Amino acid sequence: MSRYSEEEFLMLSGLQHFSFCRRQWALIHIEQQWADNLRTVEGEILHDRAHDSRFIEKRGDVLVTRALPVHSAELGVSGVCDIVEFQRSPCGIPLQNREGLWLPVPVEYKRGTPKQDDADRLQLCGQAMCLEEMLACEVPDGFLYYGETHRREKVTFTQALREQVREMLAEMHGYYSRGYTPKGKPSKSCNACSLKELCLPKLCGKLSARAYIAARLQEDAGCENY
Ligand code: SF4
């Protein structure tokens, strides 16, 4: 099994960009249109939490760890988990200075509402796979918490979801090592893309981004497959 070196690690948060649009991921993570900002933000979170005396809270049979850095040499990825709950469980692992066994459960906070696609679930599954490699344990489930609905959605890390994470990361490493930005296919998704003003003029030649989207929407009218 091949293992990546630390210099080759990609950002875990890229999974959600990649599943939304491969070109968007490449613009952010290969061409660095946003990557520095993301790294800075993640770095600041880490810095703040490292000095936070509430880094580990105990709520009954749950230990709560915030801003936990995670990585996987097998997947070649690193990132930060918003929250990892260690729940007391016979299926868990021993923790230093704690009695009993504790099962890690990643919890990712999102501002909006649950998405139709798997972007958030893939990112959470990537976190779980990092935790499994680092802690040598099984992480069967996690939660997505949505700020607008104030609800937790349970995510089970199925073999299919794990395979998708592996395949996507292998594809991302392929693009990254070649420095290749996929062309992408403009679609309705471009409306929701924060890089559309940067991307579409290059992709569409002389047509303005707005005109291109309007044209595509007309073409795609009645078609759900975008
Ligand atoms: S504008 Fe469209 S094609 Fe370009 S990066 Fe965004 S989603 Fe992808």
Side-chain angles (χ1 to χ4, degrees):
M1 184 184 305
S2 72
R3 292 175 72 82
Y4 292 93
S5 67
E6 217 170 301
E7 296 75 49
E8 295 172 300
F9 285 180
L10 299 175
M11 290 170 75
L12 195 49
S13 56
L15 275 171
Q16 60 182 323
H17 302 134
F18 196 78
S19 79
F20 175 71
C21 168
R22 280 152 170 72
R23 181 170 170 81
Q24 193 208 53
W25 168 80
L27 289 174
I28 296 170
H29 295 265
I30 297 178
E31 298 192 18
Q32 311 287 308
Q33 307 269 11
W34 273 357
D36 285 344
N37 289 344
L38 282 170
R39 284 214 176 87
T40 306
V41 170
E42 287 190 351
E44 280 170 4
I45 292 169
L46 266 177
H47 179 77
D48 289 348
R49 296 299 182 189
H51 300 287
D52 187 344
S53 58
R54 293 166 300 156
F55 188 61
I56 290 186
E57 298 165 19
K58 188 165 189 305
R59 296 185 201 148
D61 273 347
V62 180
L63 299 169
V64 181
T65 308
R66 297 176 191 280
L68 184 71
V70 291
H71 67 270
S72 161
E74 190 189 321
L75 298 171
V77 78
S78 66
V80 178
C81 294
D82 280 343
I83 286 189
V84 179
E85 293 182 354
F86 287 87
Q87 301 178 354
R88 197 185 281 277
S89 161
C91 306
I93 51 165
L95 293 178
Q96 208 175 8
N97 302 327
R98 304 277 175 183
E99 276 182 22
L101 297 174
W102 304 85
L103 183 68
V105 180
V107 182
E108 179 75 8
Y109 279 64
K110 298 288 178 192
R111 266 176 297 176
T113 52
K115 299 186 180 82
Q116 300 282 328
D117 58 36
D118 273 337
D120 294 342
R121 284 182 278 277
L122 287 162
Q123 192 189 342
L124 189 70
C125 185
Q127 293 178 0
M129 292 165 81
C130 288
L131 287 166
E132 287 179 333
E133 185 177 315
M134 290 169 68
L135 301 173
C137 66
E138 302 254 322
V139 180
D141 306 298
F143 290 91
L144 292 165
Y145 177 90
Y146 288 96
E148 272 186 38
T149 56
H150 301 288
R151 292 182 73 108
R152 273 181 165 208
E153 178 190 294
K154 185 173 178 177
V155 179
T156 298
F157 305 125
T158 60
Q159 284 311 318
L161 199 58
R162 289 164 185 270
E163 201 44 48
Q164 227 181 321
V165 169
R166 279 191 204 97
E167 283 173 7
M168 278 188 172
L169 282 167
E171 203 180 335
M172 286 156 74
H173 275 288
Y175 290 143
Y176 196 88
S177 62
R178 286 156 51 212
Y180 173 70
T181 299
K183 289 275 179 290
K185 186 171 174 245
S187 70
K188 288 178 189 172
S189 304
C190 300
N191 270 329
C193 176
S194 46
L195 293 187
K196 64 186 174 207
E197 298 297 338
L198 268 168
C199 160
L200 289 179
K202 280 189 201 164
L203 209 55
C204 315
K206 288 180 183 161
L207 274 178
S208 73
R210 194 182 296 270
Y212 198 93
I213 290 171
R216 281 299 305 186
L217 283 175
Q218 270 191 331
E219 278 174 32
D220 287 348
C223 172
E224 288 178 26
N225 187 23
Y226 60 85

